[in-house]
Short mmCIF file of all heavy atoms in Angstrom, two decimals:
data_model
loop_
_atom_site.label_atom_id
_atom_site.label_comp_id
_atom_site.label_asym_id
_atom_site.label_seq_id
_atom_site.Cartn_x
_atom_site.Cartn_y
_atom_site.Cartn_z
N PRO A 70 40.02 -168.14 -14.27
CA PRO A 70 39.38 -169.07 -13.38
C PRO A 70 38.55 -168.37 -12.23
O PRO A 70 38.74 -167.09 -12.07
CB PRO A 70 40.66 -169.76 -12.67
CG PRO A 70 41.77 -168.94 -12.98
CD PRO A 70 41.45 -168.14 -14.24
N GLU A 71 37.60 -169.00 -11.71
CA GLU A 71 36.75 -168.49 -10.53
C GLU A 71 37.66 -167.88 -9.51
O GLU A 71 37.24 -166.71 -9.07
CB GLU A 71 36.01 -169.62 -10.08
CG GLU A 71 34.98 -169.07 -8.95
CD GLU A 71 33.95 -168.19 -9.44
OE1 GLU A 71 33.69 -168.07 -10.59
OE2 GLU A 71 33.38 -167.31 -8.54
N SER A 72 38.85 -168.36 -9.09
CA SER A 72 39.68 -167.71 -8.14
C SER A 72 40.09 -166.33 -8.59
O SER A 72 40.03 -165.52 -7.68
CB SER A 72 40.86 -168.59 -7.75
OG SER A 72 41.63 -168.75 -8.85
N ALA A 73 40.38 -166.18 -9.81
CA ALA A 73 40.71 -164.75 -10.31
C ALA A 73 39.61 -163.78 -10.31
O ALA A 73 39.74 -162.71 -9.91
CB ALA A 73 41.39 -164.94 -11.72
N ILE A 74 38.37 -164.42 -10.69
CA ILE A 74 37.19 -163.55 -10.72
C ILE A 74 36.85 -163.02 -9.28
O ILE A 74 36.72 -161.92 -9.09
CB ILE A 74 36.04 -164.36 -11.26
CG1 ILE A 74 36.32 -164.67 -12.76
CG2 ILE A 74 34.77 -163.39 -11.19
CD1 ILE A 74 36.40 -163.57 -13.75
N GLN A 75 37.04 -163.95 -8.33
CA GLN A 75 36.67 -163.68 -7.00
C GLN A 75 37.73 -162.52 -6.41
O GLN A 75 37.37 -161.61 -5.78
CB GLN A 75 36.63 -164.81 -6.11
CG GLN A 75 35.44 -165.72 -6.33
CD GLN A 75 34.13 -164.97 -6.34
OE1 GLN A 75 33.86 -164.13 -5.34
NE2 GLN A 75 33.24 -165.18 -7.32
N SER A 76 38.96 -162.73 -6.83
CA SER A 76 40.11 -161.83 -6.37
C SER A 76 39.78 -160.47 -6.99
O SER A 76 40.07 -159.46 -6.27
CB SER A 76 41.36 -162.38 -6.61
OG SER A 76 41.76 -163.56 -5.87
N LEU A 77 39.42 -160.44 -8.24
CA LEU A 77 39.13 -159.11 -8.98
C LEU A 77 37.90 -158.54 -8.20
O LEU A 77 37.89 -157.33 -8.10
CB LEU A 77 38.90 -159.44 -10.42
CG LEU A 77 40.26 -159.73 -11.07
CD1 LEU A 77 39.90 -160.18 -12.54
CD2 LEU A 77 41.07 -158.43 -11.16
N ILE A 78 37.00 -159.35 -7.91
CA ILE A 78 35.74 -158.68 -7.15
C ILE A 78 36.22 -157.95 -5.89
O ILE A 78 35.74 -156.91 -5.59
CB ILE A 78 34.71 -159.80 -6.88
CG1 ILE A 78 33.98 -160.19 -8.19
CG2 ILE A 78 33.68 -159.22 -5.92
CD1 ILE A 78 33.15 -161.37 -8.03
N GLY A 79 37.11 -158.79 -5.13
CA GLY A 79 37.71 -158.09 -3.97
C GLY A 79 38.42 -156.91 -4.15
O GLY A 79 38.51 -155.87 -3.46
N ALA A 80 39.15 -156.82 -5.40
CA ALA A 80 40.08 -155.68 -5.69
C ALA A 80 39.10 -154.43 -6.04
O ALA A 80 39.56 -153.33 -6.04
CB ALA A 80 40.90 -155.94 -6.83
N LEU A 81 37.70 -154.63 -6.29
CA LEU A 81 36.85 -153.65 -6.61
C LEU A 81 36.67 -152.62 -5.27
O LEU A 81 36.21 -151.55 -5.39
CB LEU A 81 35.52 -154.08 -6.98
CG LEU A 81 35.38 -154.78 -8.26
CD1 LEU A 81 33.97 -155.42 -8.52
CD2 LEU A 81 35.70 -153.73 -9.41
N LYS A 82 37.08 -153.26 -4.25
CA LYS A 82 37.01 -152.47 -2.80
C LYS A 82 38.48 -151.91 -2.39
O LYS A 82 38.56 -151.48 -1.31
CB LYS A 82 36.47 -153.39 -1.85
CG LYS A 82 34.97 -153.82 -2.23
CD LYS A 82 34.56 -154.72 -1.07
CE LYS A 82 33.12 -155.29 -1.48
NZ LYS A 82 32.67 -156.38 -0.72
N ASP A 83 39.39 -152.02 -3.34
CA ASP A 83 40.72 -151.56 -2.97
C ASP A 83 40.81 -150.19 -2.57
O ASP A 83 39.98 -149.39 -3.12
CB ASP A 83 41.72 -151.87 -4.14
CG ASP A 83 43.16 -151.73 -3.73
OD1 ASP A 83 43.71 -150.68 -3.59
OD2 ASP A 83 43.71 -152.79 -3.50
N GLU A 84 41.69 -149.67 -1.73
CA GLU A 84 41.77 -148.24 -1.29
C GLU A 84 42.24 -147.47 -2.41
O GLU A 84 42.08 -146.22 -2.40
CB GLU A 84 42.66 -148.20 -0.18
CG GLU A 84 44.09 -148.58 -0.47
CD GLU A 84 45.01 -148.75 0.73
OE1 GLU A 84 44.47 -149.12 1.91
OE2 GLU A 84 46.23 -148.57 0.65
N ASP A 85 42.86 -148.06 -3.43
CA ASP A 85 43.43 -147.27 -4.56
C ASP A 85 42.48 -147.19 -5.73
O ASP A 85 42.08 -148.32 -6.25
CB ASP A 85 44.83 -147.87 -4.90
CG ASP A 85 45.56 -146.93 -5.94
OD1 ASP A 85 46.21 -146.08 -5.52
OD2 ASP A 85 45.41 -147.25 -7.24
N ALA A 86 42.25 -146.08 -6.25
CA ALA A 86 41.30 -145.85 -7.43
C ALA A 86 41.84 -146.67 -8.55
O ALA A 86 40.94 -147.22 -9.36
CB ALA A 86 40.95 -144.51 -7.66
N ASN A 87 42.99 -146.52 -8.89
CA ASN A 87 43.60 -147.16 -10.03
C ASN A 87 43.42 -148.70 -9.97
O ASN A 87 43.26 -149.41 -11.08
CB ASN A 87 45.02 -146.69 -10.42
CG ASN A 87 45.15 -145.31 -10.74
OD1 ASN A 87 44.42 -144.92 -11.40
ND2 ASN A 87 46.19 -144.79 -10.20
N VAL A 88 43.73 -149.34 -8.88
CA VAL A 88 43.47 -150.78 -8.56
C VAL A 88 41.98 -151.16 -8.86
O VAL A 88 41.79 -152.06 -9.62
CB VAL A 88 43.90 -151.23 -7.21
CG1 VAL A 88 43.55 -152.64 -6.92
CG2 VAL A 88 45.37 -150.97 -7.08
N ARG A 89 41.10 -150.32 -8.29
CA ARG A 89 39.64 -150.62 -8.44
C ARG A 89 39.37 -150.59 -10.07
O ARG A 89 38.48 -151.31 -10.42
CB ARG A 89 38.84 -149.55 -7.61
CG ARG A 89 39.03 -149.74 -6.17
CD ARG A 89 38.05 -148.95 -5.49
NE ARG A 89 38.12 -147.50 -5.74
CZ ARG A 89 38.77 -146.65 -4.93
NH1 ARG A 89 39.54 -147.09 -3.85
NH2 ARG A 89 38.79 -145.39 -5.28
N GLY A 90 39.83 -149.44 -10.76
CA GLY A 90 39.52 -149.36 -12.16
C GLY A 90 40.13 -150.47 -12.91
O GLY A 90 39.36 -151.02 -13.94
N SER A 91 41.29 -150.87 -12.57
CA SER A 91 41.86 -152.00 -13.33
C SER A 91 41.24 -153.26 -13.14
O SER A 91 40.93 -154.12 -14.11
CB SER A 91 43.37 -152.08 -12.93
OG SER A 91 44.18 -151.03 -13.44
N ALA A 92 40.76 -153.51 -11.86
CA ALA A 92 39.92 -154.63 -11.51
C ALA A 92 38.54 -154.74 -12.35
O ALA A 92 38.14 -155.77 -12.77
CB ALA A 92 39.60 -154.76 -10.01
N ALA A 93 38.00 -153.54 -12.44
CA ALA A 93 36.60 -153.38 -13.11
C ALA A 93 36.99 -153.67 -14.56
O ALA A 93 36.23 -154.34 -15.28
CB ALA A 93 36.06 -152.14 -12.94
N PHE A 94 38.07 -153.18 -15.12
CA PHE A 94 38.37 -153.28 -16.59
C PHE A 94 38.59 -154.82 -16.77
O PHE A 94 38.11 -155.41 -17.81
CB PHE A 94 39.60 -152.49 -16.91
CG PHE A 94 40.02 -152.59 -18.30
CD1 PHE A 94 39.22 -152.17 -19.36
CD2 PHE A 94 41.27 -153.19 -18.77
CE1 PHE A 94 39.47 -152.18 -20.63
CE2 PHE A 94 41.57 -153.26 -20.04
CZ PHE A 94 40.76 -152.72 -20.99
N ALA A 95 39.31 -155.45 -15.88
CA ALA A 95 39.62 -156.87 -16.09
C ALA A 95 38.33 -157.72 -16.19
O ALA A 95 38.09 -158.70 -16.96
CB ALA A 95 40.55 -157.41 -14.93
N LEU A 96 37.44 -157.35 -15.24
CA LEU A 96 36.08 -158.13 -15.26
C LEU A 96 35.36 -157.84 -16.48
O LEU A 96 34.60 -158.57 -16.98
CB LEU A 96 35.24 -157.61 -14.02
CG LEU A 96 35.89 -158.18 -12.67
CD1 LEU A 96 35.14 -157.47 -11.48
CD2 LEU A 96 35.58 -159.72 -12.53
N SER A 97 35.47 -156.58 -16.99
CA SER A 97 34.70 -156.25 -18.16
C SER A 97 35.17 -156.93 -19.37
O SER A 97 34.47 -157.04 -20.34
CB SER A 97 34.90 -154.60 -18.50
OG SER A 97 36.15 -154.33 -19.06
N ASN A 98 36.35 -157.40 -19.37
CA ASN A 98 36.93 -158.30 -20.59
C ASN A 98 36.58 -159.72 -20.48
O ASN A 98 36.94 -160.44 -21.48
CB ASN A 98 38.45 -157.97 -20.56
CG ASN A 98 38.72 -156.75 -21.13
OD1 ASN A 98 38.02 -156.08 -21.78
ND2 ASN A 98 39.87 -156.22 -20.83
N GLN A 99 35.84 -160.12 -19.40
CA GLN A 99 35.50 -161.58 -19.36
C GLN A 99 34.33 -161.95 -20.22
O GLN A 99 33.47 -161.17 -20.44
CB GLN A 99 35.14 -161.92 -17.88
CG GLN A 99 36.27 -161.79 -16.87
CD GLN A 99 37.45 -162.51 -17.27
OE1 GLN A 99 37.43 -163.72 -17.29
NE2 GLN A 99 38.56 -161.80 -17.72
N SER A 100 34.50 -163.17 -20.78
CA SER A 100 33.43 -163.50 -21.86
C SER A 100 32.12 -163.77 -21.12
O SER A 100 30.95 -163.56 -21.61
CB SER A 100 33.89 -164.76 -22.54
OG SER A 100 34.22 -165.82 -21.61
N THR A 101 32.29 -164.19 -19.74
CA THR A 101 30.99 -164.40 -19.00
C THR A 101 31.46 -163.89 -17.48
O THR A 101 32.54 -163.98 -17.15
CB THR A 101 30.52 -165.79 -18.97
OG1 THR A 101 31.50 -166.71 -18.42
CG2 THR A 101 30.02 -166.25 -20.36
N LEU A 102 30.50 -163.52 -16.79
CA LEU A 102 30.65 -163.20 -15.43
C LEU A 102 29.61 -163.88 -14.56
O LEU A 102 28.47 -164.06 -14.86
CB LEU A 102 30.50 -161.60 -15.25
CG LEU A 102 31.62 -160.77 -15.74
CD1 LEU A 102 31.21 -159.25 -15.49
CD2 LEU A 102 32.95 -160.99 -14.85
N PRO A 103 30.04 -164.28 -13.40
CA PRO A 103 29.15 -164.87 -12.38
C PRO A 103 28.29 -163.78 -11.80
O PRO A 103 28.59 -162.66 -11.86
CB PRO A 103 30.07 -165.49 -11.41
CG PRO A 103 31.30 -164.89 -11.37
CD PRO A 103 31.45 -164.46 -12.92
N GLU A 104 27.18 -164.20 -11.32
CA GLU A 104 26.23 -163.32 -10.71
C GLU A 104 26.85 -162.44 -9.57
O GLU A 104 26.60 -161.23 -9.45
CB GLU A 104 24.93 -164.05 -10.18
CG GLU A 104 23.85 -163.17 -9.64
CD GLU A 104 23.22 -162.25 -10.72
OE1 GLU A 104 23.17 -162.60 -11.85
OE2 GLU A 104 22.72 -161.23 -10.29
N SER A 105 27.68 -163.09 -8.89
CA SER A 105 28.42 -162.31 -7.69
C SER A 105 29.25 -161.12 -8.21
O SER A 105 29.17 -160.02 -7.69
CB SER A 105 29.18 -163.20 -6.86
OG SER A 105 30.24 -163.81 -7.73
N ALA A 106 29.76 -161.39 -9.49
CA ALA A 106 30.58 -160.23 -10.10
C ALA A 106 29.67 -159.20 -10.57
O ALA A 106 29.92 -158.07 -10.34
CB ALA A 106 31.47 -160.84 -11.12
N ILE A 107 28.55 -159.52 -11.12
CA ILE A 107 27.59 -158.57 -11.74
C ILE A 107 27.06 -157.82 -10.49
O ILE A 107 27.04 -156.41 -10.57
CB ILE A 107 26.55 -159.27 -12.53
CG1 ILE A 107 27.15 -159.91 -13.69
CG2 ILE A 107 25.38 -158.24 -12.81
CD1 ILE A 107 26.27 -160.88 -14.43
N GLN A 108 26.61 -158.39 -9.51
CA GLN A 108 26.21 -157.66 -8.32
C GLN A 108 27.13 -156.77 -7.63
O GLN A 108 26.85 -155.57 -7.35
CB GLN A 108 25.63 -158.65 -7.35
CG GLN A 108 24.40 -159.40 -7.70
CD GLN A 108 23.26 -158.46 -8.16
OE1 GLN A 108 23.08 -157.45 -7.55
NE2 GLN A 108 22.72 -158.83 -9.40
N SER A 109 28.47 -157.22 -7.64
CA SER A 109 29.48 -156.34 -7.04
C SER A 109 29.69 -155.12 -7.98
O SER A 109 29.95 -153.97 -7.61
CB SER A 109 30.70 -156.99 -6.94
OG SER A 109 30.73 -158.11 -5.95
N LEU A 110 29.65 -155.27 -9.24
CA LEU A 110 29.88 -154.11 -10.18
C LEU A 110 28.55 -153.20 -9.99
O LEU A 110 28.72 -152.02 -10.06
CB LEU A 110 29.94 -154.60 -11.53
CG LEU A 110 31.31 -155.35 -11.86
CD1 LEU A 110 31.17 -156.13 -13.10
CD2 LEU A 110 32.46 -154.27 -12.03
N ILE A 111 27.36 -153.71 -10.07
CA ILE A 111 26.19 -152.85 -9.85
C ILE A 111 26.36 -152.03 -8.62
O ILE A 111 26.04 -150.82 -8.65
CB ILE A 111 24.94 -153.73 -10.00
CG1 ILE A 111 24.65 -154.23 -11.39
CG2 ILE A 111 23.72 -152.84 -9.45
CD1 ILE A 111 23.58 -155.36 -11.43
N GLY A 112 26.75 -152.74 -7.54
CA GLY A 112 26.70 -151.94 -6.31
C GLY A 112 27.75 -151.06 -6.19
O GLY A 112 27.65 -149.97 -5.49
N ALA A 113 28.78 -151.10 -7.06
CA ALA A 113 29.85 -150.09 -7.09
C ALA A 113 29.69 -149.00 -7.97
O ALA A 113 30.58 -148.09 -8.09
CB ALA A 113 31.17 -150.93 -7.44
N LEU A 114 28.63 -148.93 -8.77
CA LEU A 114 28.36 -147.86 -9.76
C LEU A 114 28.27 -146.52 -9.08
O LEU A 114 28.29 -145.45 -9.71
CB LEU A 114 27.19 -148.15 -10.49
CG LEU A 114 27.37 -149.28 -11.57
CD1 LEU A 114 25.97 -149.56 -12.26
CD2 LEU A 114 28.35 -148.96 -12.72
N GLN A 115 28.22 -146.47 -7.83
CA GLN A 115 28.13 -145.11 -7.05
C GLN A 115 29.38 -144.67 -6.73
O GLN A 115 29.49 -143.62 -5.99
CB GLN A 115 27.17 -145.25 -5.79
CG GLN A 115 25.88 -145.79 -6.15
CD GLN A 115 25.04 -144.85 -7.12
OE1 GLN A 115 25.06 -143.59 -6.97
NE2 GLN A 115 24.52 -145.40 -8.17
N HIS A 116 30.49 -145.16 -7.29
CA HIS A 116 31.85 -144.79 -6.77
C HIS A 116 32.09 -143.28 -7.11
O HIS A 116 31.68 -142.79 -8.11
CB HIS A 116 32.91 -145.65 -7.43
CG HIS A 116 34.24 -145.47 -6.75
ND1 HIS A 116 35.03 -144.61 -7.20
CD2 HIS A 116 34.77 -146.28 -5.82
CE1 HIS A 116 36.24 -144.81 -6.40
NE2 HIS A 116 35.99 -145.73 -5.61
#
Side-chain angles (χ1 to χ4, degrees):
E71 179 67 21
S72 58
I74 299 295
Q75 292 305 316
S76 293
L77 288 166
I78 290 170
L81 291 173
K82 297 175 185 168
D83 195 277
E84 63 190 33
D85 185 89
N87 290 327
V88 175
R89 294 187 302 265
S91 291
F94 183 67
L96 290 169
S97 76
N98 287 336
Q99 295 304 292
S100 56
T101 61
L102 284 174
E104 184 65 25
S105 60
I107 293 169
Q108 292 305 315
S109 293
L110 288 163
I111 290 170
L114 286 174
Q115 301 301 315
H116 195 275

